[in-house]
Amino acid sequence: MAARIDGNVAIVTGAGSGIGEAIARRFAEENAAVVIAECNHAAGARVEADIRARGGRALFIPTDVSRAPEVEAMVRRSVAEFGRLDILVNNAAIQILGRLAETSEEDWDRIQSVNLKGVFLCSKYAIPEMLRTGGGSIVNIASVLALVGDPDLAAYCAAKGGVLALTRAAALAYGPLGIRVNAVCPGDVDTPMVRDYFNKDPNPEALRREISSKYALRRIAEPREIAEAALYLASDASSFITGTALVIDGGLTAKCY
Ligand SMILES: NC(=O)c1ccc[n+]([C@@H]2O[C@H](COP(=O)([O-])OP(=O)(O)OC[C@H]3O[C@@H](n4cnc5c(N)ncnc54)[C@H](O)[C@@H]3O)[C@@H](O)[C@H]2O)c1
């Protein structure tokens, strides 16, 4: 079945950059109306303008996903503008390096509030709107770090593991009411988040080559490759899939030794 979201209304959080931007653009190509819920004003406005210039429907709503009043207002405005809500992609997240004992309480709280509480808040306010029109689809962008560890990203790993647990709980609660909830678990994707990580190394290109060599496909992903999976999970093409995590990692976690 083709992945059809023609005429649907989708909120994509963190759509001003990287994976979220690629998802917003891909959904707009499929003729969905896309809300760009993003805290970086310049980035959100740029993606809105680009999608509109290509004839798509897009609305940038400045939003910090960790703040309940902003999320509630963003969902309300999305529905006021486009009349309904069919799809939510919880993509916004931040990454702060740190081993467990070196992570400050402030960094821990910030990561949990954006990466995990943000998923909770956006879903909390989106679900009633989806129920009003008989259902919808929520796609949570988790990470392979929800499944395997990274010693230097303790708080991030914990938040992403929480996203998977929340995905399952929500899928069970709202499946009977017509809402599917799934996650995707990407490996490294060539976005500003990962480029920042490479650039902290004295030799970013050598680090990129070393990391790429760990993948069966010998490269990291392009944002558009994650967007295709988000489109599949958002659309009726995946109509019997809920409560799952789709790993998109070029074979990274297939390997033991
Ligand atoms: N890039 C990777 O390798 C990779 C791998 C696995 C998972 N992921 C996940 O994919 C998602 C997107 O990552 P990316 O690499 O595109 O990151 P990115 O940093 O390029 O983009 C993230 C976007 O989220 C926005 N954002 C941050 N905090 C926000 C907040 N509080 N409210 C609203 N918007 C906020 C940023 O402004 C930015 O536009 C994240 O959930 C990330 O954890 C990324």
Side-chain angles (χ1 to χ4, degrees):
M1 191 193 291
R4 293 212 182 284
I5 55 169
D6 194 339
N8 282 185
V9 178
I11 293 171
V12 183
T13 70
S17 171
I19 294 169
E21 175 177 352
I23 292 171
R25 290 178 184 280
R26 189 70 188 90
F27 283 12
E29 282 171 16
E30 293 296 325
N31 213 19
V34 183
V35 173
I36 299 152
E38 166 64 59
C39 68
N40 179 325
H41 289 224
R46 176 183 57 81
V47 175
E48 177 195 62
D50 283 1
I51 290 175
R52 287 182 178 175
R54 289 174 163 76
R57 286 182 300 157
L59 176 66
F60 164 48
I61 305 181
T63 315
D64 180 339
V65 296
S66 68
R67 295 178 192 270
E70 292 187 27
V71 173
E72 187 178 12
M74 178 274 291
V75 171
R76 201 181 318 115
R77 199 176 147 205
S78 302
V79 174
E81 187 78 21
F82 294 121
R84 56 186 291 131
L85 178 61
D86 306 286
I87 298 163
L88 167 66
V89 181
N90 284 306
N91 166 80
I94 54 173
Q95 194 177 76
I96 304 174
L97 279 172
R99 295 192 162 211
L100 193 156
E102 284 85 53
T103 297
S104 68
E105 192 178 349
E106 191 186 21
D107 282 352
W108 173 272
D109 286 346
R110 183 73 192 135
I111 289 184
Q112 305 313 320
S113 72
V114 176
N115 297 15
L116 182 54
K117 186 180 169 190
V119 176
F120 157 67
L121 287 175
C122 292
S123 305
K124 176 179 167 63
Y125 291 106
I127 284 167
E129 295 301 337
M130 292 178 171
L131 293 178
R132 287 194 317 126
T133 51
S137 178
I138 298 176
V139 182
N140 295 327
I141 309 300
S143 168
V144 290
L145 297 185
L147 307 169
V148 297
D150 183 324
D152 298 316
L153 286 167
Y156 182 89
C157 288
K160 292 298 186 182
V163 169
L164 280 199
L166 189 59
T167 299
R168 289 187 287 265
L172 294 174
Y174 298 103
L177 302 173
I179 299 177
R180 296 182 301 108
V181 188
N182 291 289
V184 299
C185 292
D188 292 288
V189 187
D190 198 352
T191 70
M193 181 183 278
V194 154
R195 289 196 284 271
D196 284 353
Y197 176 76
F198 289 155
N199 288 337
K200 289 195 176 82
D201 193 84
N203 192 338
E205 270 315 305
L207 180 61
R208 176 188 283 266
R209 276 196 302 278
E210 188 200 325
I211 287 182
S212 298
S213 75
K214 298 187 188 306
Y215 285 77
L217 299 180
R218 295 293 188 268
R219 64 176 178 85
I220 67 172
E222 292 298 327
R224 197 173 170 92
E225 294 176 303
I226 314 305
E228 290 299 333
L231 174 60
Y232 172 66
L233 290 173
S235 76
D236 281 347
S238 61
S239 54
F240 202 58
I241 300 181
T242 198
T244 62
L246 178 55
V247 178
I248 311 170
D249 72 348
L252 179 71
T253 57
K255 190 167 81 174
C256 184
Y257 295 108

